[in-house]
Amino acid sequence: QVELVESGGGSVQPGGSLTLSCAVSGVSVDTRRRMCMSWFRQVQGKEREPVAGQSVDGPFGGPYYVDSVKGRFTISQNDADNTVLLTMNNVNPEDTAMYFCAAMRDGSRCYTWRWGMEYWGKGTLVNVSS
């Protein structure tokens, strides 16, 4: 069973930076590299929305980003500790949300990352305010 645990959330000022981490367990590093890993976010009272997706070894691996975060956010994966990172730069108040890590086993379908995730973490809260 794939387990995902997010960390790294907190308060940050507009224009600042923050890196979220997702610890992946229940699968090996090689398996995780073939999966599609992603980040989503949700503002209270609104629907969950995609942020970024990537499959390191998948044929359609991306990375993929929604327009609102392109050029500011970066998704990456660390084999040393089997984690998925979301580096957030130049944040603004509209980035305030609960951020969720998600995964799909078949990385060859990573182009469906916006709606195909099978496993979810419980989230970490990011608050952007001055």
Side-chain angles (χ1 to χ4, degrees):
Q1 180 72 9
V2 179
E3 292 191 20
L4 307 171
V5 179
E6 304 92 338
S7 62
S11 295
V12 58
Q13 292 187 341
S17 298
L18 198 65
T19 296
L20 307 182
S21 180
C22 171
V24 183
S25 61
V27 294
S28 68
V29 169
D30 286 344
T31 297
R32 191 259 305 149
R33 289 174 62 91
R34 293 192 297 270
M35 295 173 66
C36 183
M37 309 301 298
S38 64
W39 287 93
F40 285 67
R41 65 186 180 186
Q42 186 172 23
V43 176
Q44 193 170 9
K46 295 187 177 181
E47 290 189 0
R48 188 176 300 182
E49 63 175 9
V51 174
Q54 181 190 47
S55 177
V56 175
D57 289 340
F60 306 104
Y64 304 97
Y65 300 98
V66 293
D67 288 345
S68 60
V69 307
K70 281 181 181 177
R72 300 189 300 122
F73 290 13
T74 302
I75 184 171
S76 60
Q77 301 188 37
N78 188 330
D79 290 347
D81 56 9
N82 210 16
T83 57
V84 183
L85 306 178
L86 183 69
T87 302
M88 307 164 60
N89 294 319
N90 192 24
V91 297
N92 58 61
E94 289 70 39
D95 296 319
T96 295
M98 183 73 80
Y99 283 73
F100 298 89
C101 180
M104 176 169 59
R105 277 197 174 271
D106 186 355
S108 68
R109 295 174 51 242
C110 205
Y111 55 89
T112 69
W113 69 280
R114 293 171 185 250
W115 58 83
M117 294 297 116
E118 300 167 290
Y119 305 97
W120 296 85
K122 294 183 178 181
T124 186
L125 184 62
V126 173
N127 181 40
V128 182
S129 68
S130 55

